[in-house]
Amino acid sequence: MAKITLGGNPANTIGSLPEIGTKAHDFNLTATDLSEKTLSDFSGKNVVLNIFPSVDTGVCAQSIRTFNEKASNLDNTVVLCISKDLPFAQARFCGAEGLENVVSLSDFKTGKFGEDYGVTFTDSAFEGLLSRSIVVIDKDGIITHTEQVSETGEEPNYEAALSALS
């Protein structure tokens, strides 16, 4: 269980992020068109998992905008923005913002992604939501970088995540 903070108050997650150097867990998430997406749908590409509580918070929205901007310059790489928001809210946000370089996916149906990746809050005001985390997976499906942001209200280290792609 990871111990992080939310607004300076202690918060815990269901587990810990996967180990660097291990094979990434497959997942089944819902896209904005309500289709199901799995990790194997992005096989052969570098994958950045931008995990966060909700598109309706300022820091989460900024992380999507930042990765959208940076993703436009990445070769053979896809950025997946993952939360428990309904796909309709994700589509509305990305449409209103004109964000086309990231893929929004939702863990609203089963919550299994949050369990498998150890990022579901087990307490605090965000209980049941996903904690702000980054997981970078190389084209062979191996995890090369992880970050669980220690204070949920802060942005992730974008440069560390992107440098793990090279």
Short mmCIF file of all heavy atoms in Angstrom, two decimals, residues 53-98:
data_model
loop_
_atom_site.label_atom_id
_atom_site.label_comp_id
_atom_site.label_asym_id
_atom_site.label_seq_id
_atom_site.Cartn_x
_atom_site.Cartn_y
_atom_site.Cartn_z
N PRO A 53 -7.13 11.16 -10.85
CA PRO A 53 -8.47 11.02 -10.27
C PRO A 53 -9.63 11.43 -11.19
O PRO A 53 -10.59 10.69 -11.34
CB PRO A 53 -8.44 11.94 -9.04
CG PRO A 53 -6.99 12.05 -8.69
CD PRO A 53 -6.26 12.00 -10.01
N SER A 54 -9.58 12.63 -11.81
CA SER A 54 -10.72 13.07 -12.61
C SER A 54 -10.35 14.23 -13.53
O SER A 54 -9.61 15.13 -13.12
CB SER A 54 -11.85 13.55 -11.67
OG SER A 54 -12.91 14.10 -12.43
N VAL A 55 -10.90 14.22 -14.73
CA VAL A 55 -10.68 15.33 -15.67
C VAL A 55 -11.26 16.63 -15.14
O VAL A 55 -10.91 17.70 -15.62
CB VAL A 55 -11.28 15.06 -17.08
CG1 VAL A 55 -10.62 13.87 -17.73
CG2 VAL A 55 -12.78 14.89 -17.03
N ASP A 56 -12.12 16.56 -14.13
CA ASP A 56 -12.77 17.75 -13.59
C ASP A 56 -11.99 18.42 -12.47
O ASP A 56 -12.55 19.22 -11.72
CB ASP A 56 -14.19 17.40 -13.12
CG ASP A 56 -15.11 17.13 -14.29
OD1 ASP A 56 -15.00 17.82 -15.31
OD2 ASP A 56 -15.95 16.21 -14.18
N THR A 57 -10.71 18.10 -12.34
CA THR A 57 -9.85 18.82 -11.40
C THR A 57 -8.76 19.52 -12.19
O THR A 57 -8.32 19.04 -13.25
CB THR A 57 -9.22 17.88 -10.35
OG1 THR A 57 -8.31 17.00 -10.98
CG2 THR A 57 -10.28 17.09 -9.60
N GLY A 58 -8.31 20.65 -11.69
CA GLY A 58 -7.34 21.48 -12.42
C GLY A 58 -6.03 20.79 -12.74
O GLY A 58 -5.53 20.88 -13.86
N VAL A 59 -5.45 20.07 -11.78
CA VAL A 59 -4.15 19.43 -12.01
C VAL A 59 -4.30 18.27 -13.00
O VAL A 59 -3.46 18.08 -13.87
CB VAL A 59 -3.52 18.96 -10.68
CG1 VAL A 59 -2.21 18.24 -10.92
CG2 VAL A 59 -3.30 20.15 -9.76
N CYS A 60 -5.38 17.52 -12.89
CA CYS A 60 -5.61 16.41 -13.82
C CYS A 60 -5.77 16.95 -15.24
O CYS A 60 -5.20 16.42 -16.19
CB CYS A 60 -6.85 15.62 -13.42
SG CYS A 60 -6.75 14.87 -11.78
N ALA A 61 -6.56 17.99 -15.37
CA ALA A 61 -6.77 18.61 -16.68
C ALA A 61 -5.45 19.11 -17.26
O ALA A 61 -5.17 18.92 -18.45
CB ALA A 61 -7.77 19.75 -16.57
N GLN A 62 -4.62 19.71 -16.41
CA GLN A 62 -3.32 20.20 -16.88
C GLN A 62 -2.42 19.06 -17.33
O GLN A 62 -1.70 19.19 -18.32
CB GLN A 62 -2.62 21.04 -15.81
CG GLN A 62 -1.35 21.69 -16.30
CD GLN A 62 -1.58 22.58 -17.52
OE1 GLN A 62 -2.50 23.38 -17.55
NE2 GLN A 62 -0.76 22.42 -18.55
N SER A 63 -2.47 17.92 -16.64
CA SER A 63 -1.62 16.79 -17.05
C SER A 63 -2.03 16.28 -18.43
O SER A 63 -1.18 15.93 -19.24
CB SER A 63 -1.65 15.67 -16.01
OG SER A 63 -2.85 14.94 -16.03
N ILE A 64 -3.32 16.29 -18.70
CA ILE A 64 -3.78 15.86 -20.03
C ILE A 64 -3.31 16.86 -21.09
O ILE A 64 -2.79 16.46 -22.14
CB ILE A 64 -5.32 15.73 -20.07
CG1 ILE A 64 -5.79 14.68 -19.07
CG2 ILE A 64 -5.79 15.37 -21.49
CD1 ILE A 64 -7.29 14.68 -18.85
N ARG A 65 -3.46 18.14 -20.81
CA ARG A 65 -3.01 19.17 -21.76
C ARG A 65 -1.51 19.06 -22.03
O ARG A 65 -1.06 19.14 -23.17
CB ARG A 65 -3.32 20.56 -21.23
CG ARG A 65 -4.77 20.94 -21.23
CD ARG A 65 -4.94 22.38 -20.74
NE ARG A 65 -6.29 22.60 -20.30
CZ ARG A 65 -6.67 22.72 -19.03
NH1 ARG A 65 -5.80 22.69 -18.05
NH2 ARG A 65 -7.94 22.90 -18.74
N THR A 66 -0.73 18.89 -20.97
CA THR A 66 0.73 18.82 -21.10
C THR A 66 1.13 17.60 -21.91
O THR A 66 1.95 17.70 -22.83
CB THR A 66 1.41 18.83 -19.72
OG1 THR A 66 1.04 20.04 -19.05
CG2 THR A 66 2.91 18.74 -19.85
N PHE A 67 0.58 16.44 -21.58
CA PHE A 67 0.93 15.24 -22.35
C PHE A 67 0.42 15.34 -23.78
O PHE A 67 1.08 14.85 -24.70
CB PHE A 67 0.41 13.97 -21.66
CG PHE A 67 1.37 13.41 -20.65
CD1 PHE A 67 1.00 13.28 -19.33
CD2 PHE A 67 2.65 13.00 -21.02
CE1 PHE A 67 1.88 12.77 -18.38
CE2 PHE A 67 3.54 12.49 -20.09
CZ PHE A 67 3.16 12.37 -18.77
N ASN A 68 -0.73 15.97 -24.00
CA ASN A 68 -1.22 16.16 -25.37
C ASN A 68 -0.22 16.96 -26.18
O ASN A 68 0.10 16.60 -27.33
CB ASN A 68 -2.57 16.87 -25.36
CG ASN A 68 -3.14 17.04 -26.74
OD1 ASN A 68 -3.58 16.09 -27.37
ND2 ASN A 68 -3.12 18.27 -27.24
N GLU A 69 0.32 18.02 -25.60
CA GLU A 69 1.30 18.85 -26.29
C GLU A 69 2.59 18.07 -26.56
O GLU A 69 3.11 18.08 -27.67
CB GLU A 69 1.62 20.08 -25.44
CG GLU A 69 2.68 20.98 -26.04
CD GLU A 69 3.06 22.10 -25.10
OE1 GLU A 69 2.21 22.57 -24.32
OE2 GLU A 69 4.23 22.50 -25.15
N LYS A 70 3.07 17.37 -25.56
CA LYS A 70 4.34 16.66 -25.70
C LYS A 70 4.21 15.42 -26.59
O LYS A 70 5.14 15.04 -27.28
CB LYS A 70 4.89 16.29 -24.33
CG LYS A 70 5.28 17.54 -23.54
CD LYS A 70 5.90 17.21 -22.22
CE LYS A 70 6.28 18.46 -21.44
NZ LYS A 70 7.27 19.30 -22.04
N ALA A 71 3.04 14.80 -26.59
CA ALA A 71 2.82 13.58 -27.37
C ALA A 71 2.90 13.84 -28.87
O ALA A 71 3.24 12.94 -29.64
CB ALA A 71 1.47 12.96 -27.03
N SER A 72 2.61 15.06 -29.28
CA SER A 72 2.63 15.36 -30.72
C SER A 72 4.04 15.23 -31.31
O SER A 72 4.19 15.08 -32.51
CB SER A 72 2.08 16.76 -30.98
OG SER A 72 2.92 17.74 -30.40
N ASN A 73 5.06 15.23 -30.45
CA ASN A 73 6.45 15.12 -30.92
C ASN A 73 7.06 13.75 -30.67
O ASN A 73 8.26 13.57 -30.90
CB ASN A 73 7.32 16.18 -30.21
CG ASN A 73 6.85 17.58 -30.52
OD1 ASN A 73 6.49 17.89 -31.64
ND2 ASN A 73 6.83 18.43 -29.50
N LEU A 74 6.29 12.78 -30.22
CA LEU A 74 6.83 11.47 -29.86
C LEU A 74 6.61 10.47 -30.98
O LEU A 74 5.50 10.32 -31.48
CB LEU A 74 6.17 10.97 -28.58
CG LEU A 74 6.30 11.86 -27.35
CD1 LEU A 74 5.47 11.29 -26.20
CD2 LEU A 74 7.76 12.00 -26.94
N ASP A 75 7.68 9.77 -31.34
CA ASP A 75 7.58 8.72 -32.36
C ASP A 75 7.15 7.41 -31.72
O ASP A 75 7.60 7.05 -30.63
CB ASP A 75 8.93 8.51 -33.05
CG ASP A 75 9.33 9.69 -33.91
OD1 ASP A 75 8.43 10.36 -34.46
OD2 ASP A 75 10.53 9.96 -34.01
N ASN A 76 6.28 6.67 -32.40
CA ASN A 76 5.86 5.34 -31.99
C ASN A 76 5.43 5.28 -30.52
O ASN A 76 5.74 4.34 -29.81
CB ASN A 76 6.98 4.31 -32.25
CG ASN A 76 6.44 2.90 -32.24
OD1 ASN A 76 5.35 2.62 -32.72
ND2 ASN A 76 7.22 1.99 -31.67
N THR A 77 4.74 6.32 -30.09
CA THR A 77 4.33 6.42 -28.68
C THR A 77 2.88 6.88 -28.59
O THR A 77 2.46 7.74 -29.34
CB THR A 77 5.25 7.42 -27.93
OG1 THR A 77 6.60 6.97 -28.02
CG2 THR A 77 4.85 7.55 -26.47
N VAL A 78 2.16 6.29 -27.64
CA VAL A 78 0.79 6.70 -27.37
C VAL A 78 0.68 7.05 -25.89
O VAL A 78 1.28 6.39 -25.04
CB VAL A 78 -0.22 5.61 -27.77
CG1 VAL A 78 -0.02 4.33 -26.99
CG2 VAL A 78 -1.65 6.10 -27.64
N VAL A 79 -0.05 8.14 -25.59
CA VAL A 79 -0.31 8.52 -24.21
C VAL A 79 -1.76 8.17 -23.91
O VAL A 79 -2.68 8.65 -24.58
CB VAL A 79 -0.06 10.02 -23.97
CG1 VAL A 79 -0.43 10.40 -22.53
CG2 VAL A 79 1.38 10.38 -24.27
N LEU A 80 -1.95 7.31 -22.90
CA LEU A 80 -3.29 6.91 -22.47
C LEU A 80 -3.61 7.65 -21.18
O LEU A 80 -2.89 7.52 -20.19
CB LEU A 80 -3.34 5.40 -22.24
CG LEU A 80 -2.86 4.52 -23.40
CD1 LEU A 80 -2.99 3.05 -23.03
CD2 LEU A 80 -3.63 4.83 -24.67
N CYS A 81 -4.67 8.44 -21.18
CA CYS A 81 -5.10 9.20 -20.02
C CYS A 81 -6.22 8.41 -19.34
O CYS A 81 -7.30 8.25 -19.91
CB CYS A 81 -5.56 10.58 -20.43
SG CYS A 81 -4.21 11.56 -21.12
N ILE A 82 -5.94 7.90 -18.13
CA ILE A 82 -6.82 6.93 -17.49
C ILE A 82 -7.36 7.47 -16.17
O ILE A 82 -6.60 7.90 -15.30
CB ILE A 82 -6.05 5.61 -17.24
CG1 ILE A 82 -5.50 5.07 -18.56
CG2 ILE A 82 -6.94 4.60 -16.54
CD1 ILE A 82 -4.51 3.94 -18.41
N SER A 83 -8.68 7.42 -16.03
CA SER A 83 -9.35 7.80 -14.79
C SER A 83 -10.61 6.96 -14.67
O SER A 83 -10.88 6.10 -15.50
CB SER A 83 -9.72 9.29 -14.82
OG SER A 83 -10.73 9.53 -15.78
N LYS A 84 -11.39 7.22 -13.63
CA LYS A 84 -12.69 6.55 -13.48
C LYS A 84 -13.83 7.44 -13.97
O LYS A 84 -14.99 7.11 -13.78
CB LYS A 84 -12.91 6.12 -12.04
CG LYS A 84 -12.10 4.90 -11.67
CD LYS A 84 -12.67 4.24 -10.45
CE LYS A 84 -11.98 2.93 -10.19
NZ LYS A 84 -12.51 2.29 -8.98
N ASP A 85 -13.48 8.56 -14.60
CA ASP A 85 -14.53 9.40 -15.19
C ASP A 85 -15.32 8.60 -16.21
O ASP A 85 -14.78 7.70 -16.86
CB ASP A 85 -13.90 10.59 -15.92
CG ASP A 85 -13.30 11.60 -14.99
OD1 ASP A 85 -14.04 12.17 -14.16
OD2 ASP A 85 -12.07 11.84 -15.09
N LEU A 86 -16.58 8.94 -16.38
CA LEU A 86 -17.35 8.31 -17.44
C LEU A 86 -16.76 8.71 -18.78
O LEU A 86 -16.26 9.83 -18.95
CB LEU A 86 -18.81 8.75 -17.37
CG LEU A 86 -19.60 8.22 -16.17
CD1 LEU A 86 -21.00 8.81 -16.17
CD2 LEU A 86 -19.64 6.71 -16.16
N PRO A 87 -16.80 7.81 -19.77
CA PRO A 87 -16.27 8.14 -21.09
C PRO A 87 -16.88 9.41 -21.69
O PRO A 87 -16.22 10.13 -22.43
CB PRO A 87 -16.62 6.90 -21.93
CG PRO A 87 -16.71 5.80 -20.93
CD PRO A 87 -17.26 6.42 -19.69
N PHE A 88 -18.13 9.70 -21.35
CA PHE A 88 -18.80 10.90 -21.86
C PHE A 88 -18.10 12.16 -21.36
O PHE A 88 -17.91 13.13 -22.09
CB PHE A 88 -20.27 10.92 -21.45
CG PHE A 88 -20.98 9.62 -21.69
CD1 PHE A 88 -21.41 8.84 -20.63
CD2 PHE A 88 -21.20 9.15 -22.98
CE1 PHE A 88 -22.05 7.63 -20.85
CE2 PHE A 88 -21.85 7.94 -23.21
CZ PHE A 88 -22.27 7.18 -22.14
N ALA A 89 -17.72 12.17 -20.07
CA ALA A 89 -17.02 13.32 -19.50
C ALA A 89 -15.64 13.46 -20.12
O ALA A 89 -15.20 14.58 -20.41
CB ALA A 89 -16.91 13.16 -17.98
N GLN A 90 -14.96 12.34 -20.33
CA GLN A 90 -13.63 12.39 -20.96
C GLN A 90 -13.74 12.96 -22.37
O GLN A 90 -12.94 13.81 -22.77
CB GLN A 90 -13.02 10.99 -21.00
CG GLN A 90 -12.67 10.44 -19.64
CD GLN A 90 -12.22 8.99 -19.70
OE1 GLN A 90 -12.61 8.23 -20.59
NE2 GLN A 90 -11.37 8.61 -18.76
N ALA A 91 -14.73 12.49 -23.14
CA ALA A 91 -14.92 12.97 -24.51
C ALA A 91 -15.26 14.46 -24.52
O ALA A 91 -14.75 15.22 -25.34
CB ALA A 91 -16.00 12.17 -25.21
N ARG A 92 -16.13 14.88 -23.61
CA ARG A 92 -16.52 16.29 -23.53
C ARG A 92 -15.30 17.16 -23.23
O ARG A 92 -15.07 18.17 -23.89
CB ARG A 92 -17.58 16.47 -22.44
CG ARG A 92 -18.06 17.91 -22.30
CD ARG A 92 -19.03 18.09 -21.12
NE ARG A 92 -18.33 17.90 -19.85
CZ ARG A 92 -18.58 16.92 -18.97
NH1 ARG A 92 -19.54 16.05 -19.20
NH2 ARG A 92 -17.90 16.82 -17.85
N PHE A 93 -14.48 16.74 -22.27
CA PHE A 93 -13.30 17.52 -21.89
C PHE A 93 -12.32 17.61 -23.07
O PHE A 93 -11.90 18.71 -23.44
CB PHE A 93 -12.60 16.90 -20.68
CG PHE A 93 -11.29 17.57 -20.37
CD1 PHE A 93 -11.26 18.77 -19.68
CD2 PHE A 93 -10.09 17.02 -20.80
CE1 PHE A 93 -10.05 19.40 -19.42
CE2 PHE A 93 -8.89 17.64 -20.54
CZ PHE A 93 -8.87 18.84 -19.85
N CYS A 94 -11.96 16.49 -23.66
CA CYS A 94 -10.98 16.51 -24.76
C CYS A 94 -11.52 17.26 -25.96
O CYS A 94 -10.79 17.98 -26.64
CB CYS A 94 -10.56 15.09 -25.13
SG CYS A 94 -9.50 14.33 -23.87
N GLY A 95 -12.81 17.13 -26.24
CA GLY A 95 -13.42 17.87 -27.35
C GLY A 95 -13.39 19.37 -27.12
O GLY A 95 -13.03 20.14 -28.02
N ALA A 96 -13.76 19.78 -25.92
CA ALA A 96 -13.78 21.21 -25.60
C ALA A 96 -12.38 21.81 -25.63
O ALA A 96 -12.20 22.97 -25.98
CB ALA A 96 -14.41 21.43 -24.23
N GLU A 97 -11.39 21.00 -25.26
CA GLU A 97 -10.00 21.46 -25.21
C GLU A 97 -9.26 21.28 -26.54
O GLU A 97 -8.14 21.74 -26.68
CB GLU A 97 -9.24 20.71 -24.11
CG GLU A 97 -9.75 20.98 -22.71
CD GLU A 97 -9.18 22.23 -22.10
OE1 GLU A 97 -8.06 22.63 -22.47
OE2 GLU A 97 -9.86 22.82 -21.23
N GLY A 98 -9.87 20.54 -27.48
CA GLY A 98 -9.21 20.28 -28.76
C GLY A 98 -8.01 19.36 -28.62
O GLY A 98 -7.03 19.48 -29.35
#
